Amino acid sequence: MPRFRFADRSVTLVGVLNVTPDSFSDGGQFEGVARAVAHGRALMEQGADLVDVGGESTRPHATPVSIDVEIGRVVPVIRELHRHGVPTSIDSRHPEVVAAALDEGACVVNDVGGLRSDEMVRLAAEHGAPAIAMHMPFADLERTHGHASSGDVVGEVREFLALAARRALEGGVPEVVVDPGLGFGKTVDDNVRLIRSLKSIVELGHPVLVGGSRKRFVGALTGIERAADRDEASVVVHLAAVRHGASALRVHDVARHRRALDLWTALDG
Ligand code: HH2
């Protein structure tokens, strides 16, 4: 797999591939290797630059899965996508899963745990893989989702990401992408403030990834109840993020985002 660098494009479009029974918007749709691989390849045809493969839902009250189950879900899919030349990131909080995925051809580490673990940094460095550090207020999901905002969410997130990026770069990771972690232990207002103030995170000097796709705050702001009906609204959220300096978007509906981004680029030219 040729090396993957976010800095090679002005906006990197990351397609979501959840190989889980219980993800909040598409749980159960892409279970089984054949279905998952077909969807991953379709995402590339629709214009994704990278396919983000996850085997554990991070939604509130998701049933925890064992490391073996998570590996069993993601590794065969990554191996097969690699065989078809599809670049993948591994979306996992667990170094054992990340290690297995990198060995099978994943070329980016996506750690919603914010690269808190030295092992995660070591693995990305050893494989020469870029790493995404996402902000979660706590290392575990239950505490994160029960978290009520502090006052200065933007300052808190910026400080966390600055530290995570510094540690990772010092540990030898070739490229660090920072992500404010929309929807992770944040109120609707926190998410809005993070998008509006994204520039202060962009100023850290690392590519910024935003993942607002179909999330609850998008539903709260629009009144759209069903997560799968929030793709149009997600496009608006993500274009706002691009306007404020985001250079990577993690999305479920790649086709819609690709069209919107191409039009945006033509008009913004
Ligand atoms: N959001 C989710 C999962 N992984 N990774 C990054 N870097 N940024 C995000 O915002 C992010 C992420 C949650 O979305 P999804 O994968 O669709 O849901 P689930 O965790 O239920 O599988």
Side-chain angles (χ1 to χ4, degrees):
M1 184 69 68
R3 67 171 216 160
F4 191 94
R5 295 290 181 267
F6 287 80
D8 289 346
R9 328 170 176 74
S10 58
V11 180
T12 300
L13 198 49
V14 182
V16 177
L17 177 53
N18 286 321
V19 195
T20 59
D22 57 347
S23 285
F24 80 93
S25 79
D26 55 1
Q29 277 184 41
F30 308 113
E31 280 186 290
V33 180
R35 267 211 292 177
V37 170
H39 188 60
R41 296 181 74 191
L43 292 175
M44 289 304 284
E45 274 159 31
Q46 290 162 19
D49 300 300
L50 182 70
V51 172
D52 189 39
V53 183
E56 179 200 46
S57 172
T58 59
R59 73 178 166 79
H61 315 300
T63 315
V65 293
S66 70
I67 300 292
D68 286 347
V69 167
E70 196 181 338
I71 289 178
R73 288 178 183 171
V74 295
V75 164
V77 174
I78 287 170
R79 183 186 302 134
E80 203 52 22
L81 286 174
H82 181 52
R83 210 171 61 76
H84 288 287
V86 174
T88 56
S89 49
I90 172 65
D91 180 359
S92 179
R93 302 178 294 131
H94 304 114
E96 300 89 334
V97 178
V98 170
L102 289 169
D103 284 345
E104 294 292 345
C107 52
V108 174
V109 174
N110 177 20
D111 179 14
V112 299
L115 299 176
R116 281 177 167 89
S117 120
D118 291 341
E119 183 63 1
M120 214 52 121
V121 170
R122 194 189 62 73
L123 283 167
E126 195 180 281
H127 284 79
I132 302 166
M134 194 200 79
H135 173 264
M136 284 212 314
F138 299 103
D140 73 280
L141 285 167
E142 282 309 312
R143 280 185 80 194
T144 288
H145 287 306
H147 176 67
S149 156
S150 66
D152 178 19
V153 69
V154 177
E156 188 190 305
V157 168
R158 180 186 152 100
E159 200 178 314
F160 176 94
L161 294 176
L163 188 67
R166 190 163 63 241
R167 282 187 51 244
L169 290 172
E170 282 170 7
V173 176
E175 184 183 44
V176 179
V177 175
V178 294
D179 176 347
L182 299 182
F184 285 82
K186 292 164 185 104
T187 63
V188 173
D189 187 51
D190 288 342
N191 292 304
V192 170
R193 279 199 283 161
L194 282 164
I195 294 167
R196 280 197 184 147
S197 308
L198 204 64
K199 190 161 168 275
S200 80
I201 294 169
V202 173
E203 280 168 359
L204 293 173
H206 312 289
V208 174
L209 181 143
V210 168
S213 192
R214 297 181 177 173
K215 284 187 178 167
R216 202 163 46 84
F217 78 93
V218 180
L221 291 168
T222 56
I224 303 170
E225 295 245 330
R226 243 172 50 98
D229 292 338
R230 295 176 190 152
D231 287 322
E232 223 153 58
S234 303
V235 168
V236 176
V237 166
H238 288 139
L239 290 183
V242 169
R243 187 163 74 83
H244 292 299
S247 53
L249 304 173
R250 180 182 181 278
V251 311
H252 297 87
D253 187 339
V254 167
R256 210 183 284 251
H257 278 83
R258 174 49 68 202
R259 284 194 299 270
L261 265 181
D262 288 349
L263 179 57
W264 178 267
T265 308
L267 297 174
D268 209 40

Coordinates of all heavy atoms in Angstrom, one line a residue, residues 16 18 22-25 52 56-59 91 110 112 132 134 179 182 184 209 211 215 250 252, ligand 1:
V16 N -17.2 6.1 6.2 CA -17.4 5.2 7.4 C -17.8 3.8 7.0 O -18.7 3.7 6.2 CB -18.5 5.8 8.3 CG1 -18.7 4.9 9.5 CG2 -18.1 7.2 8.8
N18 N -18.8 0.7 9.2 CA -19.0 0.1 10.5 C -19.4 -1.4 10.3 O -20.5 -1.7 9.8 CB -20.1 0.8 11.2 CG -19.7 2.1 11.8 OD1 -18.6 2.3 12.2 ND2 -20.6 3.1 11.7
D22 N -24.5 -2.8 15.9 CA -25.2 -1.9 16.7 C -24.7 -0.4 16.6 O -25.0 0.4 17.5 CB -25.0 -2.3 18.2 CG -23.6 -2.4 18.6 OD1 -22.7 -2.4 17.7 OD2 -23.3 -2.5 19.8
S23 N -24.0 -0.1 15.5 CA -23.7 1.3 15.3 C -24.9 2.2 15.3 O -26.0 1.7 14.8 CB -22.8 1.5 14.0 OG -21.5 1.0 14.3
F24 N -24.8 3.5 15.7 CA -26.0 4.3 15.9 C -26.8 4.5 14.7 O -28.0 4.7 14.7 CB -25.7 5.6 16.7 CG -25.1 6.7 15.8 CD1 -26.0 7.6 15.2 CD2 -23.8 6.8 15.5 CE1 -25.5 8.6 14.4 CE2 -23.3 7.8 14.7 CZ -24.2 8.7 14.1
S25 N -26.2 4.6 13.5 CA -27.0 4.9 12.3 C -27.0 3.8 11.2 O -27.9 3.8 10.4 CB -26.5 6.2 11.6 OG -25.3 5.9 10.8
D52 N -12.8 4.1 6.6 CA -12.5 4.0 8.1 C -13.3 2.8 8.6 O -14.5 2.8 8.7 CB -13.0 5.2 8.8 CG -12.5 5.3 10.2 OD1 -11.4 4.8 10.6 OD2 -13.3 5.8 11.1
E56 N -16.4 -1.7 16.6 CA -17.0 -1.5 18.0 C -17.8 -0.2 17.9 O -17.2 0.8 17.6 CB -15.9 -1.5 19.0 CG -16.5 -1.2 20.4 CD -15.5 -0.6 21.4 OE1 -14.7 0.3 21.1 OE2 -15.4 -1.1 22.5
S57 N -19.1 -0.3 18.3 CA -19.8 1.0 18.3 C -19.4 1.8 19.5 O -19.1 1.3 20.6 CB -21.3 0.7 18.4 OG -22.0 2.0 18.6
T58 N -19.3 3.2 19.3 CA -18.9 4.0 20.4 C -20.2 4.8 20.9 O -20.0 5.7 21.7 CB -17.9 5.1 19.9 OG1 -18.5 5.9 18.8 CG2 -16.6 4.5 19.5
R59 N -21.4 4.4 20.5 CA -22.6 5.1 20.9 C -22.8 4.9 22.4 O -22.3 3.9 22.9 CB -23.8 4.7 20.0 CG -24.3 3.4 20.4 CD -25.5 3.0 19.5 NE -25.8 1.6 19.6 CZ -26.4 1.0 20.6 NH1 -26.9 1.7 21.7 NH2 -26.6 -0.3 20.6
D91 N -10.4 2.1 13.0 CA -11.1 2.9 14.0 C -11.3 2.0 15.2 O -12.2 1.2 15.3 CB -12.5 3.3 13.4 CG -13.3 4.2 14.4 OD1 -12.8 4.4 15.5 OD2 -14.4 4.5 14.1
N110 N -7.0 5.4 13.6 CA -8.0 6.4 14.1 C -8.4 6.0 15.5 O -9.1 5.0 15.7 CB -9.2 6.3 13.1 CG -10.3 7.2 13.6 OD1 -10.1 8.2 14.4 ND2 -11.6 7.0 13.2
V112 N -10.3 7.0 18.7 CA -11.2 7.9 19.4 C -10.8 8.1 20.9 O -11.2 9.0 21.5 CB -12.7 7.4 19.3 CG1 -13.2 7.3 17.9 CG2 -12.9 6.1 20.1
I132 N -4.9 9.6 13.9 CA -6.0 10.6 14.2 C -6.2 10.6 15.7 O -6.5 9.6 16.3 CB -7.3 10.3 13.5 CG1 -7.1 10.2 12.0 CG2 -8.4 11.3 13.8 CD1 -8.3 9.6 11.2
M134 N -8.5 11.9 18.5 CA -9.8 12.5 18.7 C -10.0 12.8 20.2 O -9.6 12.1 21.0 CB -10.9 11.5 18.2 CG -12.3 12.2 18.1 SD -13.7 11.1 18.1 CE -13.8 10.8 19.9
D179 N -8.9 16.0 16.0 CA -10.3 15.9 15.7 C -11.0 16.3 17.0 O -10.8 15.7 18.1 CB -10.6 14.4 15.4 CG -12.1 14.1 15.2 OD1 -12.9 14.9 15.6 OD2 -12.4 13.0 14.7
L182 N -16.7 15.5 17.9 CA -18.1 16.0 18.0 C -19.0 14.8 18.5 O -18.9 13.7 18.1 CB -18.7 16.4 16.6 CG -17.9 17.6 16.0 CD1 -18.6 18.0 14.6 CD2 -17.8 18.8 16.9
F184 N -19.0 13.4 21.4 CA -18.4 12.6 22.5 C -18.3 13.4 23.8 O -17.4 14.3 23.9 CB -17.0 12.1 22.1 CG -17.0 11.0 21.1 CD1 -17.2 11.3 19.7 CD2 -16.9 9.7 21.5 CE1 -17.2 10.2 18.8 CE2 -17.0 8.6 20.5 CZ -17.1 8.9 19.2
L209 N -9.7 16.9 11.4 CA -10.7 16.1 10.9 C -12.0 16.4 11.7 O -11.9 16.5 12.9 CB -10.4 14.6 11.0 CG -11.4 13.6 10.5 CD1 -10.7 12.4 9.8 CD2 -12.3 13.1 11.6
G211 N -16.0 14.9 12.3 CA -16.9 13.8 12.1 C -18.3 14.2 12.7 O -18.5 13.8 13.9
K215 N -24.9 12.7 13.5 CA -24.9 12.6 14.9 C -26.1 13.3 15.6 O -26.8 14.1 14.9 CB -23.6 13.2 15.4 CG -22.5 12.2 15.2 CD -21.2 12.5 15.8 CE -20.2 11.4 15.6 NZ -18.8 11.8 15.8
R250 N -15.2 12.9 8.1 CA -15.6 11.5 8.3 C -17.1 11.4 8.1 O -17.8 11.9 8.9 CB -15.1 11.0 9.7 CG -15.4 9.5 9.9 CD -15.0 9.1 11.4 NE -15.3 7.7 11.6 CZ -16.4 7.3 12.0 NH1 -17.5 8.1 12.2 NH2 -16.6 6.0 12.2
H252 N -20.8 9.2 6.5 CA -21.4 8.0 6.0 C -21.8 8.0 4.5 O -21.6 7.1 3.8 CB -22.7 7.7 6.8 CG -22.5 7.5 8.3 ND1 -22.4 8.5 9.2 CD2 -22.2 6.3 9.0 CE1 -22.1 8.0 10.4 NE2 -22.1 6.7 10.3
Ligands
HH2_1 N1 -17.2 9.2 15.4 C1 -17.6 7.9 15.5 C2 -16.7 6.9 15.4 N2 -15.4 7.2 15.1 N3 -13.7 8.7 14.7 C3 -13.3 10.0 14.6 N4 -12.0 10.2 14.4 N5 -14.1 11.0 14.7 C4 -15.5 10.8 15.0 O1 -16.2 11.9 15.1 C5 -15.9 9.5 15.2 C6 -15.0 8.4 15.0 C7 -19.1 7.6 15.8 O2 -19.8 7.4 14.6 P1 -20.1 6.0 13.9 O3 -18.9 5.2 13.6 O4 -21.0 6.2 12.8 O5 -21.0 5.3 15.0 P2 -20.7 4.1 16.0 O6 -19.6 4.5 16.9 O7 -22.0 3.8 16.7 O8 -20.2 2.9 15.2

